[in-house]
Amino acid sequence: LVILLIDFMEFRMLLWTIQHKAAYDIFLETGRLIANEKYLLFDGGLRCYYEWIAEQMKKRIGRPSNDVKYPVWAWYQWEGVRKRPDMRIHRYGGKKGTPVVLLTIDIPDNMVLLSDFDMWHVVLNDGYLPLYDKDDIEDPSEDEKLKSWENVFCIDEVTDCWYVPKSTQATFWELKKEWVLKAEHFVLAR
């Protein structure tokens, strides 16, 4: 009987996502938030990396609904601490004076893919991503490089190559209104 009860339990994860107020307003109207492709950071040629993480999400947590192509991003932890980001010091892309909303959310953990924030920047820079110094390859093939990117998901691994404490980001396909615990409004000061 106990085993059957565990099968029906849903495990949840507390996350924080920072969204532009305009996206939040649409979220309030529709009851769900999905990534809008026109606001993603593709000007610098990052599309292929967003597509890579989307493919990884399909493999690891399942496919999105038909109207979703890219993930929503959130924080699981910052510099090893599981707490709400401090918006007085947290860097967030956007111009000074931009209104944003920090959402505290509680989402089913099977709908979330966690990855290491610092390692993600190696992927964004099209680099090779070893976990350990001994695994570093001087001139990796394209296949070796792409396979190494999967190390970005080794968030619990204590390595000799990466920063501790870790900052962990979360990606998921959509945010539903019922998962929001708190909404805090801010205006970017920097």
Side-chain angles (χ1 to χ4, degrees):
L1 180 62
V2 172
I3 293 173
L4 291 176
L5 290 175
I6 290 173
D7 286 341
F8 291 108
M9 289 177 55
E10 182 178 81
F11 294 98
R12 301 188 67 84
M13 189 178 299
L14 187 66
L15 303 173
W16 298 270
T17 183
I18 304 165
Q19 299 294 327
H20 284 271
K21 183 167 182 324
Y24 178 69
D25 290 342
I26 293 169
F27 171 63
L28 291 177
E29 288 174 26
T30 64
R32 77 192 267 257
L33 177 88
I34 61 173
N36 186 328
E37 187 172 353
K38 75 178 186 177
Y39 296 114
L40 298 178
L41 303 173
F42 292 152
D43 291 344
L46 301 177
R47 181 181 303 273
C48 64
Y49 308 109
Y50 279 82
E51 289 172 353
W52 179 83
I53 195 94
E55 286 303 313
Q56 292 297 313
M57 290 173 66
K58 289 173 189 172
K59 289 181 196 174
R60 296 165 188 265
I61 62 171
R63 301 185 77 74
S65 57
N66 289 338
D67 62 338
V68 176
K69 185 171 182 180
Y70 296 105
V72 176
W73 296 74
W75 289 109
Y76 174 79
Q77 74 179 11
W78 183 255
E79 295 181 348
V81 180
R82 292 265 306 129
K83 67 178 185 176
R84 171 192 164 283
D86 183 343
M87 293 301 289
R88 294 170 297 178
I89 60 172
H90 188 75
R91 291 179 291 132
Y92 177 77
K95 295 178 183 174
K96 182 178 179 178
T98 301
V100 296
V101 182
L102 172 64
L103 300 172
T104 301
I105 60 176
D106 184 28
I107 185 170
D109 66 353
N110 65 342
M111 298 179 143
V112 178
L113 181 59
L114 298 176
S115 59
D116 184 286
F117 177 69
D118 294 309
M119 289 182 189
W120 172 244
H121 287 82
V122 174
V123 174
L124 290 177
N125 286 299
D126 201 38
Y128 176 75
L129 183 57
L131 270 184
Y132 303 100
D133 286 334
K134 67 179 178 55
D135 297 329
D136 203 359
I137 298 173
E138 192 168 316
D139 189 23
S141 69
E142 185 68 13
D143 286 343
E144 289 169 322
K145 178 186 73 175
L146 292 174
K147 181 67 178 157
S148 79
W149 288 359
E150 294 184 28
N151 290 332
V152 76
F153 306 116
C154 297
I155 59 167
D156 294 326
E157 194 80 25
V158 176
T159 72
D160 52 4
C161 287
W162 294 101
Y163 303 108
V164 176
K166 290 182 177 252
S167 294
T168 307
Q169 58 192 8
T171 52
F172 46 94
W173 293 118
E174 65 180 298
L175 176 60
K176 295 181 180 179
K177 201 173 195 176
E178 62 265 22
W179 297 339
V180 175
L181 301 176
K182 186 176 186 180
E184 299 172 84
H185 296 260
F186 295 90
V187 174
L188 296 179
R190 350 183 197 178

